[in-house]
Amino acid sequence: QVQLVESGGGLVQAGGSLRLSCAVSGGTFSSYVMGWIRQAPGKERELVAAMRWIGSNTYYADSVKGRFTISRDNAKNTVYLQMNSLKPEDTAVYYCAAGVSFYRSTSPGGYDYWGQGTQVTVSS
């Protein structure tokens, strides 16, 4: 069973930066797709970034391109989301998720394992 634990959320002013971390353990996750998914109050979940555990291909939602960067540290079994130039509309609960199927990983519903989420609040 894959376990995901996020950290790094908080309150930041618009234009600021935060880095989210996701510690991954359990199972054989080297073939998984890792994603960061957010959900704001009253809105649908949005896949903001994703990458395979092995390889360099990445995905970013148009809303975060050029501002967010997903990365990983294989030695630490940790996935990161560096968020720069934050905007009030980035306010949401951010979840780290792992997907078994590459083909299903293009949408939030395609992920099989989820962390507990971490709150990111951007003030104007």
Side-chain angles (χ1 to χ4, degrees):
Q1 182 79 7
V2 175
Q3 294 181 324
L4 310 169
V5 179
E6 304 101 331
S7 61
L11 174 64
V12 65
Q13 288 188 331
S17 298
L18 282 174
R19 188 177 78 159
L20 305 182
S21 300
C22 174
V24 187
S25 62
T28 306
F29 48 83
S30 59
S31 62
Y32 288 5
V33 176
M34 302 302 300
W36 285 97
I37 296 160
R38 68 185 180 186
Q39 187 164 27
K43 294 188 177 181
E44 294 186 353
R45 294 177 300 178
E46 178 187 20
L47 176 65
V48 297
M51 71 184 305
R52 280 179 154 172
W53 197 264
I54 297 175
S56 58
N57 290 346
T58 55
Y59 162 85
Y60 295 98
D62 288 343
S63 57
V64 306
K65 278 181 182 176
R67 301 188 297 121
F68 289 12
T69 303
I70 187 171
S71 63
R72 68 182 185 271
D73 184 328
N74 291 353
K76 296 182 177 180
N77 290 342
T78 301
V79 178
Y80 303 99
L81 185 68
Q82 178 67 42
M83 305 185 294
N84 298 329
S85 302
L86 282 162
K87 305 175 181 179
E89 51 264 44
D90 294 318
T91 295
V93 177
Y94 284 71
Y95 298 92
C96 175
V100 174
S101 169
F102 172 77
Y103 298 102
R104 292 193 294 117
S105 65
T106 56
S107 67
Y111 287 80
D112 304 283
Y113 303 98
W114 293 69
Q116 81 285 356
T118 185
Q119 176 71 46
V120 172
T121 303
V122 184
S123 63
S124 58

